[in-house]
Amino acid sequence: MKIRAALVLMSAVLLSACGLNSVPTAEENAKARWADVQAAYQRRADLVPNLVATVKGAAQSEGEILTEVTQARASASSVQLSGDDLTDPAKVEQFQAAQSRLGGSLSRLLVTVEKYPELRSQGRFADLQEQLEGTENRINIAIRDYNTAVQEYNTTIRTFPSAIGAKVFYGAEPMTPFQAEAGSDVAPTVDFGN
């Protein structure tokens, strides 16, 4: 009887040390951080129609850029990535590319606004511009938090003793971190000549 109790106690200790709880905890944390990234992008997507409507009223001649922003927003909103897709680098890259196109379109819009100061003087547009800037900051923070959670998860499933539980019980695969697009380390050129 004492041997059986000792075996049960020993089994419990061994199972608790093999990542039985730490693997799903780390995975759920990474998925929650991904949801934060999606929420930040959704906030941006929700602001864009208001920004576009405000700017259209004041700058009808800039219809091409505004149309591009609207199309980029629609494209960015159409690419969805669930927590289960985070192990597929191609799907993460597709999501990043769509969001990057929207960011590029917004940059062109903001350059246009800089070019035409009378638009910046409108209080409503200034408010929306501040909200958009705050949203971009939220996106950056959410991406950073997601990448930290992915790093913790990937470390958990690759280190002993959690690696045992990760493979045996969960078949865990590493998640893909959010990465900057190639060339994003180069500052954009602003040209007011055109």
Side-chain angles (χ1 to χ4, degrees):
M1 192 62 144
K2 289 183 181 182
I3 294 175
R4 178 181 265 173
L7 286 174
V8 168
L9 183 59
M10 180 72 107
S11 296
V13 169
L14 289 175
L15 284 176
S16 69
C18 72
L20 216 50
N21 290 326
S22 62
V23 172
T25 300
E27 180 180 22
E28 291 305 316
N29 183 44
K31 286 180 179 180
R33 297 299 69 80
W34 180 250
D36 293 344
V37 170
Q38 289 179 311
Y41 276 126
Q42 184 62 51
R43 183 180 194 282
R44 178 171 75 176
D46 292 344
L47 281 175
V48 169
N50 294 325
L51 180 60
V52 169
T54 302
V55 175
K56 268 188 178 179
Q60 293 178 350
S61 64
E62 300 302 324
E64 177 184 331
I65 293 173
L66 299 174
T67 300
E68 180 183 323
V69 169
T70 303
Q71 290 171 344
R73 182 231 181 227
S75 174
S77 297
S78 70
V79 177
Q80 299 296 318
L81 191 65
S82 71
D84 294 333
D85 295 331
L86 297 176
T87 58
D88 184 349
K91 288 183 180 179
V92 172
E93 185 176 290
Q94 181 185 15
F95 180 86
Q96 287 177 248
Q99 295 301 329
S100 183
R101 282 190 297 277
L102 177 55
S105 296
L106 291 173
S107 294
R108 284 191 57 210
L109 174 63
L110 293 176
V111 165
T112 301
V113 170
E114 294 287 336
K115 200 171 164 182
Y116 297 99
E118 66 275 6
L119 295 179
R120 295 184 66 216
S121 67
Q122 297 178 6
R124 179 81 174 123
F125 181 75
D127 291 343
L128 288 170
Q129 193 172 11
E130 284 179 27
Q131 288 182 28
L132 187 58
E133 181 180 339
T135 298
E136 293 300 318
N137 289 335
R138 285 184 178 125
I139 289 169
N140 288 332
I141 290 168
I143 288 170
R144 184 198 64 209
D145 292 348
Y146 167 71
N147 282 345
T148 298
V150 166
Q151 178 185 13
E152 290 171 3
Y153 171 75
N154 289 345
T155 300
T156 299
I157 67 169
R158 290 184 178 135
T159 54
F160 184 80
S162 296
I164 296 168
K167 289 295 180 194
V168 173
F169 295 108
Y170 302 110
E173 294 288 327
M175 289 185 175
T176 305
F178 201 98
Q179 297 176 354
E181 204 171 285
S184 63
D185 57 334
V186 178
T189 302
V190 177
D191 181 10
F192 294 110
N194 294 334

